[in-house]
Amino acid sequence: MSDVRHVLVLPDRDAAEEAAQALGDRFRLDEEPQLVRDALAGEDDAEDAQWLVVLRDTEERLDPKELDEFAAEWDGWREEP
């Protein structure tokens, strides 16, 4: 079993919450994605925060290209490890 993680970067909390729910529906995840607020350097304002959706992929069955396309639906992207 590996500890592969995928990180999707999304522009705001609403997008991250919607994407996390849709991820479970589309990809049939074994566990719920984790949401993390990522404030931009030196910024305290919530308007300047990105949100991360972190997915564990222990079976390495998620296709990075499909995750790229999925994140783009919410104006986001997948971070390369």
Side-chain angles (χ1 to χ4, degrees):
M1 185 182 325
S2 70
D3 191 26
V4 173
R5 294 178 193 266
H6 300 281
V7 177
L8 307 182
V9 181
L10 299 166
D12 57 50
R13 184 180 188 149
D14 290 339
E17 289 175 345
E18 290 174 24
Q21 183 174 356
L23 276 165
D25 296 340
R26 188 177 301 182
F27 296 102
R28 298 183 185 200
L29 303 175
D30 294 333
E31 62 184 68
E32 203 168 309
Q34 179 184 8
L35 299 179
V36 179
R37 181 179 178 269
D38 184 33
L40 300 177
E43 298 293 335
D44 293 327
D45 188 356
E47 295 295 319
D48 293 325
Q50 296 173 330
W51 283 78
L52 308 179
V53 178
V54 181
L55 309 162
R56 286 189 61 210
D57 186 15
T58 56
E59 302 295 320
E60 296 186 48
R61 60 183 184 84
L62 298 174
D63 180 4
K65 183 177 178 182
E66 285 182 49
L67 291 174
D68 288 337
E69 293 168 3
F70 178 85
E73 293 175 25
W74 279 272
D75 297 324
W77 65 91
R78 182 184 57 86
E79 281 290 310
E80 289 291 331

